[in-house]
Amino acid sequence: MTKCLVTGGAGFIGSHLVEACLEKKSKVVVLDNLSTGRKENLPLSDSGVEFLEGDITDRALLRNIKNQHADLDYVFHLAAVPAVPLSMQDPVNTHRVNFQGTLFLLDTFKDLALKKFVYASSASVYGNPNRVPVREDFLPVPLSPYGADKLAGEHYLRIFNDSFNVPAVACRFFNVFGERQDPSSPYSGVISIFFERAMASKNGINSSLEIYGDGKQTRDFIYVKDAVKAWLHLAEEPGIRGEVFNVGYGSSTSILELAHKVREVLGADIDVNFVEPRKGDIKHSQAEIQKLRDTGLDFDYSFDEGLKRLAEYLEVKVQSES
Ligand code: NAD
Ligand code: UD1
């Protein structure tokens, strides 16, 4: 039986990863400070999950975890301040968590015989590239402290892979969406916000979809179950290490198109408003995914299937709550 440490495991992507690890009969230790994650996202009773509430910047805590779990096979590192705008408002705190936290984890767990250390990087490392789709070997020029810290984390992963024999891989996630993505903050993922507002409007609450800028900016949205499938595939392939992989579908959707799709999939007649563009916002983002495909990975879903599944999940949730 394998054992995984999942940082940020009470969050959106982390909780789906925990679920997938449990399906593979792994033991799972979750480290999360619950800043944006929620315990309710985790199956805690009798599931094999040990939940530790704490911070990845607490080095003494990390050392204790290492001593108590010296038999760890995998470190899956997702804990982060996950929003670009928050990093523009408070670059120092973002750096402390997103960069220092990553370094502390690498440094603490480098002595264990890990099968893999997997890191949640981001498409934001690319900034505004000369052309899309973006390939892993394009020169990254991040536009935000968030992107810069994710990129610095990738460099440290490679250094620990090459010089300290930590088998490490970074997933450059594009825009991940799906069940349990929290819509409650203005910095939440756009799909979670649009779905929440469209559901409210369907239920008679006055609401609108706000688009920052002209809505022509594009994103490569990937359904969370496929993002997690890619992550575990890269973790479990022993020959893959010291590398960075784009994790998206390789497609591109404008925010305006997204607004129409959300209205359509939920059958919601909701207005769309245009407001000021967001600072640090990337214009176009689309992944080239040949490198990922060459590892033998196939996805189980598509963007439209993911949207449909999310709509069904939310409809059932609303019914069960009313
Ligand atoms: P999330 O906010 O749901 O998850 C982040 C988790 O980390 C939360 O549970 C939070 O409580 C925890 N956390 C934050 N700071 C912590 C700290 N100092 N110590 C311990 N735990 C801490 O966000 P998510 O969307 O699930 O993102 C997960 C990871 O994937 C992040 O690293 C994010 O940057 C990255 N990512 C996400 C996307 C996306 O589209 N959602 C895209 C690219 C990269
Ligand atoms: C997202 C992730 C980030 C990740 C990056 C990788 C979240 C919260 N952020 O950032 O962790 O590293 O993808 O590509 O998941 N928008 C609107 N109206 C809204 C909300 C957003 O028009 O109500 C627009 C934004 O201006 C942006 C686009 O939608 O152009 C996507 O925004 P958002 O979902 O916040 O994601 P990213 O900033 O791309």
Side-chain angles (χ1 to χ4, degrees):
M1 185 186 277
T2 58
K3 195 179 202 182
C4 321
L5 171 67
V6 184
T7 74
F12 159 52
I13 304 174
S15 66
H16 284 271
L17 181 62
V18 168
E19 231 171 58
C21 292
L22 293 175
E23 276 164 25
K24 289 176 178 277
K25 310 279 178 239
S26 284
K27 277 197 175 160
V28 182
V29 181
V30 168
L31 173 62
D32 199 300
N33 69 357
L34 300 179
S35 51
T36 54
R38 287 154 29 106
K39 256 186 172 172
E40 294 74 11
N41 286 342
L42 290 168
L44 286 178
S45 56
D46 299 332
S47 64
V49 177
E50 178 180 344
F51 178 72
L52 305 172
E53 184 169 345
D55 205 291
I56 56 165
T57 59
D58 180 345
R59 299 192 75 186
L61 172 66
L62 297 185
R63 277 193 291 272
N64 280 342
I65 296 174
K66 182 186 82 171
N67 293 336
Q68 277 175 29
H69 298 283
D71 55 344
L72 273 181
D73 297 289
Y74 295 99
V75 174
F76 292 153
H77 174 35
L78 297 102
V81 176
V84 174
L86 284 176
S87 81
M88 301 295 282
Q89 280 168 24
D90 191 350
V92 174
N93 184 51
T94 309
H95 181 74
R96 196 181 58 82
V97 177
N98 293 10
F99 174 69
Q100 273 193 345
T102 301
L103 177 56
F104 290 166
L105 281 159
L106 283 166
D107 192 49
T108 306
F109 291 97
K110 69 177 187 302
D111 307 327
L112 299 186
L114 294 178
K115 292 195 170 85
K116 205 72 65 84
F117 184 114
V118 189
Y119 167 62
S121 185
S122 160
S124 61
V125 301
Y126 290 109
N128 279 329
N130 291 334
R131 61 187 169 90
V132 286
V134 284
R135 224 177 36 217
E136 289 85 348
D137 59 359
F138 281 20
L139 182 71
V141 188
L143 302 185
S144 60
Y146 173 85
D149 282 323
K150 287 288 182 185
L151 181 60
E154 286 184 5
H155 285 306
Y156 273 81
L157 236 75
R158 181 179 41 75
I159 291 162
F160 274 71
N161 180 84
D162 295 351
S163 299
F164 299 103
N165 201 26
V166 178
V169 163
C171 291
R172 281 184 183 163
F173 281 139
F174 283 64
N175 289 56
V176 186
F177 73 97
E179 299 88 334
R180 296 200 290 276
Q181 190 169 29
D182 181 3
S184 65
S185 131
Y187 311 119
S188 300
V190 63
I191 293 191
S192 66
I193 296 176
F194 279 10
F195 265 94
E196 188 189 48
R197 292 186 169 203
M199 291 291 286
S201 150
K202 256 183 93 167
N203 292 310
I205 299 164
N206 192 17
S207 192
S208 65
L209 304 183
E210 285 196 340
I211 292 186
Y212 301 138
D214 58 11
K216 290 185 184 155
Q217 68 268 43
T218 54
R219 293 294 185 271
D220 185 342
F221 293 104
I222 177 166
Y223 183 49
V224 64
K225 303 248 182 250
D226 275 335
V228 162
K229 185 180 186 190
W231 178 288
L232 285 175
H233 174 74
L234 296 173
E236 287 169 347
E237 284 292 319
I240 298 175
R241 55 178 292 175
E243 303 226 38
V244 170
F245 289 86
N246 285 342
V247 177
Y249 282 141
S251 58
S252 122
T253 306
S254 74
I255 300 306
L256 203 52
E257 277 174 83
L258 174 70
H260 291 309
K261 273 181 187 283
V262 171
R263 285 165 54 107
E264 198 177 82
V265 76
L266 285 178
D269 184 19
I270 181 170
D271 289 339
V272 173
N273 288 330
F274 293 88
V275 296
E276 278 294 293
R278 220 162 59 174
K279 255 194 197 159
D281 217 15
I282 288 171
K283 188 74 185 167
H284 295 297
S285 178
Q286 183 186 358
E288 158 67 68
I289 53 168
Q290 195 54 47
K291 186 174 175 185
L292 185 61
R293 291 235 183 260
D294 286 346
T295 66
L297 179 79
D298 283 323
F299 291 123
D300 292 331
Y301 304 93
S302 65
F303 176 42
D304 286 336
E305 281 163 356
L307 282 184
K308 216 168 136 230
R309 284 173 64 93
L310 178 58
E312 282 160 9
Y313 165 83
L314 291 173
E315 306 264 18
V316 169
K317 191 165 172 258
V318 166
Q319 270 165 25
S320 69
E321 283 166 1
S322 63

